[in-house]
Amino acid sequence: MFKTAVIADRAYLNHYAGYEHPERPERIETLLQMLATRHREGMFQLKPRPATTAELTLCHDASYVSFVEGACAFHRYQFDPDTYAVPGSFATALLAVGGVLTAVEAVMGGQAHNAFALVRPPGHHALARRAMGFCLFNNVAIAAAYLLKHLGLRRVMILDWDLHHGNGTQDLFYESSQVLYVSIHEFPFYPGTGAVNEIGRGEGEGFTVNAPLPAGCADEDYLRVFDELIMPIAYKFRPEFVLISAGYDCHARDPLGYMRVTEQGFVAMTRRLKRLAEDTCQGRLVAALEGGYDLKALADSVWATLEELGRDGDEKIEAVKGGRRAEEVIEKAVFKLNRFWQL
Ligand SMILES: [Zn+2]
C-alpha cells in the first residue's frame, strides 16, 4: 500500500461568495467529513503552508498579486460575474497554492509516495495578470514552476481532466518545452479555449495537447483519449513529476457540465497516470482539486481517486471498448501533433 499525503484544512472554508455560488465552502466541508469517516492504510493528513509572494510571482505579476490582496480588503469584490473575493480570500488563496506546494514537497522529500491537495479556490483558469472562472492564483501552474525553478526538475507533466479547459495553465506554459500541458474538456464550452490546434508556440510547440470533447462523453471516451493520444505522448516526454488538475465537474451528476464520467472513470485515469509516474519518475505524482460542484459526486470521486493512489500499482489496465465520440478529436489531435511525437 502506497503512502499518500492528503492536504486538508478547515481554513479552506474562509472564501465564500455570500450568495448562491457553486464554488462554495461546503465542497471542502464535505471532503473533510469524508476524511473523518473513511480511511485507508497508508493515507495521512498534512496541514498546508501558505505560499509566499515570491512563490506566487513564479507565475503571476507582482502588481497582480498586490491587486488581489487589495481587492480582498473590500466587503466583497467581483473580478467578473463568476469570480469573487471577500476579506478571507487572500489568505485562503495563499493556502491553496501552498497546499499544492506542501503536497509537492512531501513527495519530493520522500515523506509520501504521492499526494492529493484538497484545496480551494481552484486555479487552472487564473492567468498571469487576471482572475477568472472562480480562480485567483494558478495553484498547479505555480507548483510546476516551483518544481522546475526551485527543485531542479526539467520536465513536468500537467494532466487536466476538469470539465473546463485550463486556459490559465495553458497560457503560462504555452512557450515552454519543460511543461507538457494536457487537457481533456467539454468543447465548445467555458472558457472557449482548448481547440485541437492550440499546441504551443516557439520552444513550446507540441507541448500543449488539447482534447476538446463534445458534450455527453463518458468514461470510455476519456479513456480512448488517454490510450491513443495522451499516454503515447507522455511516455515520450518522460515526465520527472506528474501533476493532475483534478476537477470533478465532468462527473455525470455535476450541475455545470454535460459529461458523464463516473468514479470508475476517475479510477481508470488515475491508474494510467500512476503507472506513467512509476515508469518514468519513481511514482512522483500530486493531484490538486480544481472544480466539482455536486457534493456527493465530489466526495465519492475524490475518495475513489485516493483509493487508487494507494493501490500497489500492478493492477490491470483494461483495454477500452467503445469511445466512438472521441474518435474524431483523437484523429485530429494525432494529425496536429504527429510531427513532434511520431504517434
Ligand atoms: Zn471546471
Side-chain angles (χ1 to χ4, degrees):
M1 187 65 85
F2 285 134
K3 274 167 77 175
T4 301
V6 181
I7 289 73
D9 201 319
R10 285 198 72 76
Y12 289 123
L13 307 184
N14 298 334
H15 165 72
Y16 47 85
Y19 57 93
E20 208 168 299
H21 194 293
E23 207 294 283
R24 57 206 194 277
E26 288 83 349
R27 299 176 63 231
I28 293 295
E29 200 153 37
T30 299
L31 294 176
L32 292 172
Q33 276 165 18
M34 174 200 81
L35 291 173
T37 52
R38 302 185 208 181
H39 191 73
R40 73 156 173 83
E41 208 185 318
M43 202 173 82
F44 65 101
Q45 285 191 39
L46 284 178
K47 289 268 180 203
R49 67 168 176 88
T52 64
T53 305
E55 287 160 351
L56 297 180
T57 55
L58 287 169
C59 287
H60 298 282
D61 286 10
S63 57
Y64 170 73
V65 174
S66 322
F67 170 67
V68 176
E69 187 173 16
C72 294
F74 291 93
H75 168 64
R76 190 175 74 228
Y77 184 86
Q78 290 288 147
F79 295 94
D80 65 30
D82 294 330
T83 313
Y84 62 89
V86 293
S89 298
F90 189 68
T92 312
L94 291 187
L95 220 50
V97 175
V100 186
L101 296 178
T102 302
V104 160
E105 286 162 347
V107 171
M108 288 300 283
Q111 223 183 329
H113 195 82
N114 49 43
F116 200 151
L118 301 176
V119 303
R120 68 181 283 276
H124 73 154
H125 295 304
L127 294 153
R129 287 178 288 274
R130 187 178 158 198
M132 62 181 279
F134 317 162
C135 304
L136 304 181
F137 301 122
N138 199 317
N139 310 322
V140 168
I142 292 168
Y146 182 78
L147 282 162
L148 297 171
K149 297 221 169 99
H150 292 312
L151 300 181
L153 299 193
R154 290 158 303 169
R155 290 183 309 280
V156 176
M157 174 174 172
I158 301 173
L159 185 290
D160 187 334
W161 71 45
D162 188 279
L163 171 74
H164 305 94
H165 180 242
N167 61 301
T169 313
Q170 170 172 301
D171 194 65
L172 286 161
F173 300 113
Y174 207 56
E175 297 186 30
S176 170
S177 58
Q178 291 195 297
V179 176
L180 176 67
Y181 176 67
V182 182
S183 177
I184 310 190
H185 46 272
E186 182 169 336
F187 190 87
F189 207 62
Y190 183 89
T193 49
V196 98
N197 60 0
E198 295 167 26
I199 58 167
R201 190 188 304 126
E203 282 281 297
E205 206 181 5
F207 293 86
T208 292
V209 176
N210 281 303
L213 295 179
C217 282
D219 294 351
E220 60 272 22
D221 303 297
Y222 277 68
L223 296 175
R224 280 279 295 269
V225 175
F226 265 76
D227 291 349
E228 294 174 25
L229 179 69
I230 298 172
M231 288 298 129
I233 292 175
Y235 272 92
K236 288 190 171 161
F237 178 70
R238 297 198 68 78
E240 295 175 322
F241 205 103
V242 177
L243 292 166
I244 308 177
S245 262
Y248 294 92
D249 37 8
C250 53
H251 190 283
R253 284 175 58 99
D254 197 89
L256 261 56
Y258 303 92
M259 293 308 208
R260 297 192 291 120
V261 179
T262 69
E263 286 77 352
Q264 291 73 36
F266 294 117
V267 166
M269 291 193 281
T270 305
R271 184 167 298 176
R272 283 158 171 79
L273 294 168
K274 193 160 149 275
R275 182 72 51 86
L276 168 73
E278 300 300 337
D279 290 342
T280 64
C281 53
Q282 301 98 52
R284 295 196 290 238
L285 181 151
V286 162
L289 184 65
E290 298 280 1
Y293 307 102
D294 179 86
L295 298 182
K296 179 175 161 42
L298 180 64
D300 290 346
S301 303
V302 167
W303 182 251
T305 307
L306 278 171
E307 281 196 312
E308 183 59 28
L309 288 178
R311 293 203 177 101
D312 288 334
D314 48 7
E315 293 77 22
K316 200 165 179 281
I317 291 182
E318 308 271 350
V320 183
K321 296 189 193 79
R324 304 265 330 242
R325 275 170 298 235
E327 270 175 8
E328 196 185 325
V329 168
I330 294 169
E331 199 178 307
K332 283 184 184 161
V334 167
F335 180 75
K336 287 298 289 185
L337 291 158
N338 197 31
R339 70 189 163 105
F340 304 100
W341 302 103
Q342 289 79 48
L343 299 167

